[in-house]
Amino acid sequence: MSAPEWKSAAQDFVHGNQDSSLGPIVEDVKAGHLKLVELVEGLRDYLTSGDVTVRCRGTSLLSGLINKLSAQHLNTQEVDVLVAFFSDRLKDHHSITPQALHGLKALSECSGLTDEGVQAICNSIFKEVTVQSLSQADRRTIYNILQSFLIQKLTALQKFGNSFVYSYIQVMDGEKDPRNLLIAFRSVVAIIQHFQIGMFAEELFEVTSCYFPIDFTPPPNDPYGVTREELIISLRHVLAATPLFGQYCFPLIMEKAASDITAAKIDSYDTLAVCIPVYGIQLLNEYNMALWNAIKNEVLSASNTQVEQATLGALNAAVKTYSDSNKQSSSMDGFGKDFLDSVCKDCHKGICNADLKVLYPNSKLIESCLATPQSCQYMLNKTIPVILEQFHTNTQPNRRRNILDILLRLIRRAQTFHDSTNNPIGQHKDPLVTLFISILNDNNSQLRNLGVCGLAGMAACEGLLNASEVEMISEHMLQLLLNDHEASVRQESTAAIAYIASKYPAMIQEKVLPALNERLTQEPMETETEIANNLSNSFILETMAAICTEHSLVKPIVQILVQYMKRDVKDSPSLSIDTYKAAECVLSVVKQSANFTGNVDFYTSQLMPDLIRICVHSAIDGASSTNSNEGVLTHVAAVLRTIVQQLSQGQALSVLGTANCIFLEGNLESINITSDQPFLPLEVSSPEGHHATLPLFTAIVCSLPSNTRIEDLRELCEKVYNLCKSTLNIKICEDASKCLAGLLNKYLKDAGIQELLGNILEDLGKSIEDADNETTLRCHHVTTWTWITKALVLSAHMKSMQFTKEIVKWFEYPLLGSTSAEGFYVILNEYDDIMLPTMHADVKILYRQRFFQQTLPILMEGFNNTKPEFKQHYLTGLSHLLRFLPKQVLKTELPPLMPMLVQSLCCNVTSLQLATMGTLYDLLFDAPMVLAKYAESTIPQVQKLTKHQPSMKVRILALQCLGLMTTLPHHILFPFKSKILHTLGEVVDDKKRLVRKEAVKARTEWYLLGAPSTKT
Amino acid sequence: MALENENPLVFEAAKDRQITPEEEDDDVVDKIDNREVFDLIRDINDPEHPLSLEELNVVTCSQVHVDDDKNEVSIQFTPTIPHCSMATLIGLSIRVKLLRALPARFKVDVQIYPGTHASEDAVNKQLADKERVAAALENSHLLEVVNQCLTSRKT
């Protein structure tokens, strides 16, 4: 731009009031075409004009320009000149002051600003400007300038000494705007830190404390977002910034704390908690009794829990301050002692009071005084004897319970302060232990429970009890565990032993486990007490699993459990319910310690063969497959999975070798079974009992670490596939299909598997389509097909859509439709026994969303073109798709599908109705507005289903939906209200109790709808 | 409002009813029994305290009698103190709750447990009078208080 051009731009800016003309000038200066001196020269006429408006615009141009330049652009000399200029302008007409301040703000951030410049700016602001007469924005400019100096140019300001403090007090005096106050408060904290405020302390306190307690409610839609909390916190920092404020501040806060306004009380006590440590004990001594009385009254009147919290916090801070002040000595000598004594005097009276409203607040007060190790020690020494005495003089169980409750709270609190050498409750150990043990035999079960809790709490204090004492305690727990007739006491003792076991595993292994084992091996005594106690073997087994809280206990406990299972096997081939329980316990123990690798050798060399033998043994003996046999098998398979998925490659290979040996070659020597008949569970011709052990094999081969090489993989898969294809037993077909799917999913990259997949697609497809085949067999084939599809979908294999499309095609085969539609559930559901990522399966993220996106169009198209009798299968498939979709995605995808969902409700298929209502129920929770549009068609249908006779599950779910619908907008529901109340009036007479329960809930909700305000 | 009974004894609530296999069987008919009706009223909130009638021992399972075949329900409740002015309100809340929750075929009888309240007869008479109960529910302020007692406590 040539000279005349920027001049005309400046002309436009000044006379034409064209703010946009500044842009080109800024560009010119930035690019260096236009020197600043040149510009100022050129602006002379405007800056010296007699017309105030012109001078103002000229100043505005210059300050606007400087604000747009980077902090490095101006050199020291230029900055000096400009500082002098703008400072001078502050003396000018008042309308120019804002422009000048704006310019100074920009200069205050320039790197070229010297200390002299800083002082010049400050001087002129302090001298020439009456801050209180400026607008909010201009005042903020001043606060910002001063704040940035306090941060960056502190040394320059410190040359002012005290007078800066005085000037700042004058600047911020009378400030009302919360945005400005936030900046001012921060600056004051900096001033207090870096200046000698001595002689101005009172003034500075006056000018800030006048805002305490903060009473500010931000306007609605406040764009600045200053909150009451921000102001409170920053003012609190100011008040707690120096001990010099103490003498003024303490009386002020105490006065405000006595206010009737809850917020003021909370703020006062919270501020006290921060200030007391700063102000120190001298001041605290002066006010301690006043403070204690105020706190005591506040807590005892118990008006508001928040106030109570704040008050207790202040008390805690006071006690902390006392005991920190005499850190050198470990006792609470001096004034702190007097304070705590008066606390004790007052509170002990309260503890002796039977009224709960007095008892608990006093206990809370004492608890808050346990603030440091010293104070904790002192308070407990004084308080525990009083509590003990109260316990012994009162014999009422209820009263004793409350006293113990307080005692336990104190012990728990004291745990935070113990160290290995000194424990605050150490002196009272003996009477406490005696007390707790004495109530273990009380008639009142709740007291017994408290006794157990107390002992466990004492054992939790490290270094408090010695080994023999812990042993004695565990002995008592064990007795309760085995003999108490109250289930809650037995549970509490189990928890206590479990806790002790985590700290003293060796002692537990030596003393407790043998006792439990002995009880297991005893012949069950059918005495009345034992039956009444329900102290079955399964309870003992569960207890053992529960106390396995330390790694070293895993092995002995698992050994006992397996020993127990073995004993059962010897007696008869069919496994008892207790064996089932034992297997479950083994599983929970193994799962708990899954991440600990120290037991792997024990697991692979002993536990796995033992467990496999128990299962195979009962299978060979031709036990009829009872429920508990199947249950044991499921648990054992889960144990194997948990172990195998943790193995390293090498360990996995050896385990795989053993498995092959047993399940493929039928060589049972490794598990010590001699049998005359061959054991070949994978052969089609073997008996079904042998096939039933397949899940064990699956558990091993499908949980192997990825890339473990399996010999003859293709032959293995073909074997399993043949079993799938030929069996008529649906359970075995499913087991085999899972095994096949698990293998395929893992080894899809293998060329042989690729080829096999092609063969299966053709062979199995043909067999399903062949109408001459038996229907059951065809349905089983569909199941196998579904599992294979699942394996492909999980790993996002390219053939997955081909397989899926076939399934959708079968929706329209009369005999296969429902099986195929249910297949969608199999594909999307997560099964915990196969193809989980933890089993090193190939599971791509978001596979469900991908499957949904790919399948939805096919389903929609099929639904629209099919005959009415097949529509339900499409709806079933759809409902399974929706069920597994994350809620977030569902919200956006669902609106167009709503009509289909409403149709599903009308289909007389129970599973479909259940699935659809499940979706509706979730939807009502997450996006009620989507449903609101369809209320007219949905509500009558759901209402009808509340009387759906064939299935109570449908009725219950319908009632739950109906109850939840009361959250929809009132105007939508109102037309239905009387009709629904009438219908529900009949449903509350349903023949099933569970249905009636839900009906009552729903009807009550509908009655309250639109009733006179029920909001609390 | 000053509380009449500031510091009531609090009783422990009974455990939830165990669901039996029969209850989950679609074909078995479950009769309405004492416990089921007790479950309906035990969660009613006390008008004065943030506690349920069960926790205050105002209603107990043993004072609920149900005869499903004869369509009869009779309930006796115990006010916390003999001069409790809330007795009528508590009785009314129980009545309204059962009105909403029981099938219409039942005849419901709500009474104060004999000897536990100063003006026992008067309250019983009020509670037994159907028209007075109906009239009471026309009063929107009273209905509001009753609804508050019946609103399930959300913790």
Side-chain angles (χ1 to χ4, degrees):
Chain A
M1 214 192 278
S2 60
E5 276 182 57
W6 72 258
K7 279 193 174 154
S8 73
Q11 171 89 16
D12 283 347
F13 185 91
V14 176
H15 289 294
N17 276 335
Q18 297 273 323
D19 285 349
S20 57
S21 315
L22 184 58
I25 302 178
V26 173
E27 288 310 311
D28 262 16
V29 175
K30 269 189 186 166
H33 304 311
L34 179 57
K35 291 272 175 303
L36 202 65
V37 189
E38 216 178 314
L39 177 72
V40 175
E41 278 292 308
L43 291 178
R44 187 198 325 192
D45 286 347
Y46 308 128
L47 296 175
T48 56
S49 159
D51 185 351
V52 176
T53 340
V54 174
R55 277 206 316 279
C56 182
R57 284 303 286 177
T59 317
S60 173
L61 195 158
L62 205 51
S63 69
L65 168 74
I66 300 169
N67 268 293
K68 292 261 164 40
L69 297 177
S70 72
Q72 285 79 32
H73 191 95
L74 300 175
N75 62 32
T76 313
Q77 212 179 352
E78 286 168 329
V79 172
D80 275 348
V81 171
L82 286 166
V83 165
F85 169 73
F86 283 119
S87 298
D88 200 41
R89 290 274 69 70
L90 289 176
K91 295 177 190 156
D92 203 338
H93 191 264
H94 67 84
S95 67
I96 299 175
T97 311
Q99 315 304 334
L101 285 173
H102 194 51
L104 288 174
K105 171 82 187 55
L107 290 172
S108 73
E109 282 154 14
C110 282
S111 53
L113 185 65
T114 57
D115 284 3
E116 286 73 31
V118 171
Q119 283 167 346
I121 293 179
C122 290
N123 269 329
S124 57
I125 289 180
F126 291 150
K127 267 194 204 126
E128 310 299 343
V129 186
T130 322
V131 180
Q132 285 71 15
S133 66
L134 297 178
S135 73
Q136 184 269 333
D138 298 329
R139 292 200 308 271
R140 188 167 55 177
T141 312
I142 293 182
Y143 290 117
N144 276 330
I145 293 175
L146 294 176
Q147 191 186 25
S148 75
F149 284 166
L150 276 167
I151 297 168
Q152 288 156 10
K153 305 282 184 186
L154 190 62
T155 42
L157 293 186
Q158 274 169 334
K159 288 182 194 148
F160 282 112
N162 277 347
S163 72
F164 181 80
V165 182
Y166 180 69
S167 307
Y168 200 91
I169 292 172
Q170 283 190 319
V171 165
M172 79 169 288
D173 191 18
E175 180 58 57
K176 282 201 185 68
D177 190 87
R179 290 163 284 176
N180 292 351
L181 279 176
L182 271 185
I183 308 172
F185 287 155
R186 262 178 242 141
S187 304
V188 171
V189 173
I191 292 174
I192 292 173
Q193 279 166 357
H194 300 294
F195 289 84
Q196 297 288 332
I197 61 159
M199 60 188 291
F200 296 114
E202 186 169 2
E203 280 85 352
L204 193 56
F205 174 74
E206 289 299 331
V207 84
T208 47
S209 68
C210 61
Y211 303 100
F212 182 86
I214 298 276
D215 179 23
F216 165 64
T217 322
N221 309 323
D222 179 19
Y224 305 102
V226 175
T227 62
R228 189 171 164 268
E229 284 66 34
E230 269 180 284
L231 282 169
I232 289 181
I233 301 283
S234 39
L235 177 57
R236 197 170 290 160
H237 282 314
V238 173
L239 297 181
T242 168
L244 294 175
F245 283 172
Q247 52 172 321
Y248 316 110
C249 193
F250 227 115
L252 174 78
I253 302 185
M254 292 299 291
E255 184 198 322
K256 299 293 180 192
S259 138
D260 285 336
I261 303 162
T262 314
K265 277 187 187 182
I266 297 175
D267 192 6
S268 301
Y269 284 110
D270 280 345
T271 307
L272 267 183
V274 179
C275 289
I276 289 175
V278 179
Y279 296 167
I281 56 163
Q282 238 140 21
L283 211 58
L284 186 55
N285 281 329
E286 221 172 289
Y287 290 96
N288 60 8
M289 280 308 122
L291 178 66
W292 165 239
N293 285 329
I295 289 175
K296 187 176 63 181
N297 289 337
E298 207 56 70
V299 174
L300 285 177
S301 66
S303 50
N304 179 311
T305 47
Q306 271 179 304
V307 178
E308 191 186 271
Q309 285 288 319
T311 332
L312 293 175
L315 177 59
N316 188 286
V319 176
K320 217 180 237 166
T321 309
Y322 270 130
S323 57
D324 283 349
S325 71
N326 47 11
K327 261 202 176 126
Q328 297 81 359
S329 67
S330 60
S331 63
M332 289 295 294
D333 291 335
F335 292 103
K337 186 164 162 255
D338 296 342
F339 182 68
L340 290 182
D341 279 345
S342 45
V343 172
C344 285
K345 202 178 119 215
D346 290 345
C347 288
H348 289 171
K349 251 185 256 159
I351 292 181
C352 301
N353 195 317
D355 190 342
L356 296 188
K357 285 208 168 131
V358 182
L359 184 66
Y360 280 102
N362 276 299
S363 146
K364 279 179 198 160
L365 286 169
I366 296 181
E367 272 173 57
S368 302
C369 289
L370 310 188
T372 56
Q374 297 97 311
S375 63
C376 180
Q377 180 79 63
Y378 189 81
M379 288 303 283
L380 288 181
N381 284 353
K382 291 223 145 200
T383 310
I384 287 183
V386 178
I387 294 183
L388 289 178
E389 193 203 319
Q390 278 298 308
F391 181 84
H392 290 300
T393 48
N394 285 288
T395 47
Q396 253 188 318
N398 260 346
R399 173 88 177 113
R400 287 189 145 188
R401 212 173 73 201
N402 297 329
I403 296 170
L404 283 180
D405 205 25
I406 294 178
L407 182 57
L408 282 178
R409 288 166 68 145
L410 291 179
I411 292 181
R412 247 170 251 147
R413 177 102 181 191
Q415 278 173 11
T416 17
F417 299 112
H418 76 77
D419 54 49
S420 49
T421 53
N422 184 21
N423 194 307
I425 47 175
Q427 295 181 20
H428 311 281
K429 182 175 83 173
D430 293 333
L432 287 178
V433 171
T434 320
L435 169 76
F436 287 132
I437 288 183
S438 73
I439 53 169
L440 291 181
N441 296 319
D442 200 279
N443 287 329
N444 187 307
S445 66
Q446 284 172 331
L447 277 183
R448 292 203 298 278
N449 267 336
L450 284 171
V452 175
C453 284
L455 289 174
M458 307 252 318
C461 294
E462 229 168 291
L464 178 62
L465 302 179
N466 59 34
S468 68
E469 281 163 334
V470 175
E471 194 180 317
M472 175 196 61
I473 288 177
S474 339
E475 186 61 32
H476 280 287
M477 301 287 149
L478 185 63
Q479 287 316 314
L480 283 181
L481 172 76
L482 294 175
N483 301 321
D484 203 287
H485 50 79
E486 191 70 41
S488 67
V489 179
R490 294 202 303 270
Q491 248 160 33
E492 199 67 58
S493 335
T494 311
I497 292 195
Y499 181 75
I500 295 174
S502 66
K503 303 251 165 177
Y504 304 90
M507 190 274 295
I508 294 288
Q509 186 181 347
E510 212 172 296
K511 303 281 171 192
V512 177
L513 285 187
L516 289 175
N517 192 22
E518 193 185 332
R519 184 61 79 104
L520 268 186
T521 45
Q522 272 172 13
E523 279 309 304
M525 292 185 292
E526 305 277 317
T527 57
E528 258 177 54
T529 45
E530 293 219 350
I531 294 169
N533 290 359
N534 189 21
L535 198 62
S536 56
N537 284 347
S538 59
F539 172 74
I540 307 266
L541 293 169
E542 271 173 23
T543 308
M544 291 225 239
I547 63 177
C548 187
T549 45
E550 218 276 343
H551 295 311
S552 66
L553 286 170
V554 170
K555 195 169 160 183
I557 288 180
V558 168
Q559 273 171 336
I560 293 178
L561 294 173
V562 172
Q563 206 58 41
Y564 182 78
M565 290 173 76
K566 278 186 190 163
R567 198 180 60 121
D568 194 40
V569 176
K570 266 182 223 146
D571 301 344
S572 79
S574 60
L575 305 170
S576 73
I577 187 84
D578 283 345
T579 311
Y580 169 75
K581 197 81 216 176
E584 193 182 324
C585 295
V586 172
L587 176 61
S588 91
V589 171
V590 171
K591 266 196 178 154
Q592 262 175 35
S593 65
N595 296 325
F596 179 69
T597 50
N599 287 319
V600 167
D601 273 345
F602 164 67
Y603 286 158
T604 51
S605 65
Q606 284 187 38
L607 179 61
M608 287 179 60
D610 275 346
L611 291 177
I612 294 177
R613 184 174 58 192
I614 290 167
C615 295
V616 171
H617 190 275
S618 77
I620 289 182
D621 276 8
S624 54
S625 78
T626 58
N627 278 340
S628 60
N629 272 20
E630 257 176 49
V632 172
L633 200 76
T634 316
H635 285 319
V636 168
V639 174
L640 298 184
R641 260 196 311 278
T642 317
I643 296 172
V644 173
Q645 65 202 20
Q646 305 292 334
L647 296 181
S648 66
Q649 290 267 346
Q651 292 162 328
L653 277 177
S654 95
V655 167
L656 179 65
T658 324
N660 281 343
C661 193
I662 299 169
F663 291 96
L664 294 182
E665 295 160 21
N667 181 349
L668 302 183
E669 270 168 29
S670 63
I671 50 171
N672 276 331
I673 296 181
T674 44
S675 164
D676 8 341
Q677 48 168 321
F679 177 72
L680 293 166
L682 265 65
E683 293 301 326
V684 175
S685 55
S686 294
E688 282 194 354
H690 293 194
H691 289 322
T693 58
L694 190 62
L696 301 182
F697 184 64
T698 311
I700 295 173
V701 294
C702 293
S703 313
L704 293 171
S706 31
N707 303 327
T708 311
R709 232 182 83 75
I710 299 182
E711 297 284 335
D712 302 328
L713 177 64
R714 179 152 179 196
E715 284 70 34
L716 175 63
C717 288
E718 273 171 2
K719 232 178 212 178
V720 180
Y721 172 61
N722 285 333
L723 185 58
C724 292
K725 242 191 108 182
S726 57
T727 180
L728 280 170
N729 181 325
I730 180 65
K731 174 85 179 49
I732 291 169
C733 172
E734 255 177 35
D735 287 344
S737 304
K738 278 184 186 177
C739 183
L740 180 63
L743 285 170
L744 290 179
N745 175 276
K746 254 191 191 181
Y747 297 98
L748 270 174
K749 292 206 178 73
D750 186 287
I753 293 295
Q754 301 266 1
E755 199 186 322
L756 179 68
L757 201 60
N759 295 349
I760 291 178
L761 185 66
E762 199 172 316
D763 179 57
L764 196 60
K766 217 183 270 170
S767 186
I768 293 173
E769 307 252 338
D770 187 352
D772 292 341
N773 274 339
E774 223 179 304
T775 318
T776 17
L777 208 54
R778 287 171 71 199
C779 282
H780 289 185
H781 292 345
V782 173
T783 307
T784 308
W785 185 279
T786 318
W787 276 100
I788 296 171
T789 314
K790 182 180 171 70
L792 301 180
V793 169
L794 287 184
S795 66
H797 191 263
M798 56 186 193
K799 281 214 170 89
S800 64
M801 270 331 279
Q802 202 179 343
F803 272 75
T804 312
K805 277 182 189 152
E806 291 294 308
I807 298 181
V808 178
K809 190 174 87 189
W810 298 324
F811 281 7
E812 300 188 18
Y813 283 43
L815 298 166
L816 304 178
S818 62
T819 317
S820 320
E822 289 304 324
F824 272 54
Y825 178 78
V826 172
I827 293 173
L828 291 170
N829 188 25
E830 202 164 77
Y831 290 84
D832 58 5
D833 59 349
I834 194 78
M835 288 190 281
L836 286 183
T838 49
M839 298 166 203
H840 312 285
D842 182 11
V843 180
K844 297 284 190 289
I845 53 163
L846 299 180
Y847 70 91
R848 282 179 177 144
Q849 276 93 319
R850 194 177 307 120
F851 188 71
F852 176 82
Q853 298 293 359
Q854 289 174 338
T855 322
L856 187 64
I858 307 176
L859 284 186
M860 296 291 272
E861 198 197 329
F863 176 80
N864 291 329
N865 299 330
T866 191
K867 290 184 211 138
E869 64 259 42
F870 297 129
K871 284 203 190 254
Q872 65 174 63
H873 299 318
Y874 286 96
L875 292 174
T876 309
L878 177 68
S879 73
H880 291 318
L881 276 188
L882 293 178
R883 180 193 299 203
F884 292 103
L885 212 56
K887 300 261 160 66
Q888 295 305 327
V889 187
L890 198 62
K891 256 191 230 175
T892 55
E893 298 285 349
L894 208 56
L897 299 176
M898 273 308 290
M900 279 175 83
L901 282 186
V902 178
Q903 275 200 33
S904 315
L905 284 181
C906 308
C907 277
N908 215 352
V909 182
T910 306
S911 64
L912 180 57
Q913 284 165 337
L914 282 176
T916 312
M917 277 194 287
T919 314
L920 279 185
Y921 190 83
D922 290 343
L923 197 64
L924 276 168
F925 251 114
D926 300 321
M929 287 327 287
V930 177
L931 206 77
K933 281 186 209 143
Y934 295 89
E936 241 167 87
S937 44
T938 334
I939 293 181
Q941 197 50 42
V942 175
Q943 188 186 348
K944 213 167 94 194
L945 287 178
T946 60
K947 292 176 146 190
H948 182 80
Q949 278 319 308
S951 160
M952 62 190 279
K953 274 192 194 142
V954 172
R955 300 204 294 277
I956 290 175
L957 199 50
L959 286 166
Q960 284 171 343
C961 283
L962 210 53
L964 198 57
M965 277 182 191
T966 50
T967 54
L968 294 181
H970 187 210
H971 65 274
I972 296 176
L973 300 176
F974 193 71
F976 299 100
K977 183 173 171 180
S978 64
K979 228 177 172 181
I980 285 184
L981 285 178
H982 182 76
T983 314
L984 292 181
E986 292 165 21
V987 185
V988 289
D989 207 4
D990 196 279
K991 66 177 179 181
K992 298 307 300 172
R993 187 168 292 130
L994 295 174
V995 178
R996 293 198 294 263
K997 198 172 147 198
E998 292 303 330
V1000 168
K1001 263 194 219 158
R1003 197 165 190 239
T1004 313
E1005 293 292 326
W1006 277 86
Y1007 256 112
L1008 293 178
L1009 194 72
S1013 153
T1014 49
K1015 286 182 195 90
T1016 43
Chain B
M1 185 174 60
L3 297 178
E4 284 192 355
N5 183 3
E6 280 198 13
N7 198 19
L9 275 177
V10 178
F11 293 79
E12 232 174 298
K15 296 207 175 75
D16 280 344
R17 184 178 192 141
Q18 297 284 322
I19 294 172
T20 60
E22 290 79 42
E23 284 177 35
E24 284 173 338
D25 184 342
D26 256 318
D27 302 322
V28 179
V29 177
D30 306 325
K31 291 220 166 206
I32 297 181
D33 59 12
N34 295 351
R35 177 63 204 255
E36 184 172 346
V37 173
F38 175 63
D39 279 341
L40 291 176
I41 57 172
R42 69 186 187 134
D43 289 330
I44 297 177
N45 301 325
D46 183 84
E48 273 193 348
H49 301 285
L51 295 165
S52 72
L53 294 188
E54 182 189 21
E55 285 166 318
L56 292 171
N57 220 22
V58 173
V59 291
T60 59
C61 196
S62 57
Q63 286 166 17
V64 176
H65 297 286
V66 179
D67 192 328
D68 198 8
D69 299 323
K70 290 188 190 155
N71 298 334
E72 282 174 0
V73 172
S74 91
I75 289 166
Q76 293 181 324
F77 67 97
T78 318
T80 48
I81 48 171
H83 294 281
C84 184
S85 65
M86 297 288 167
T88 329
L89 183 58
I90 294 175
L92 187 64
S93 300
I94 298 178
R95 269 217 98 96
V96 174
K97 174 77 192 191
L98 295 182
L99 207 62
R100 293 176 182 176
L102 277 182
R105 62 188 164 91
F106 279 98
K107 179 185 179 301
V108 180
D109 203 15
V110 178
Q111 288 193 331
I112 291 184
Y113 189 75
T116 59
H117 197 268
S119 41
E120 191 180 317
D121 292 337
V123 176
N124 283 346
K125 208 169 165 190
Q126 281 189 349
L127 289 175
D129 190 335
K130 267 190 186 173
E131 309 213 325
R132 282 181 82 162
V133 170
L137 294 182
E138 301 276 305
N139 177 338
S140 72
H141 172 68
L142 196 54
L143 187 61
E144 186 183 327
V145 180
V146 170
N147 277 341
Q148 235 155 46
C149 293
L150 298 186
T151 308
S152 57
R153 239 186 298 157
K154 273 148 201 147
T155 43

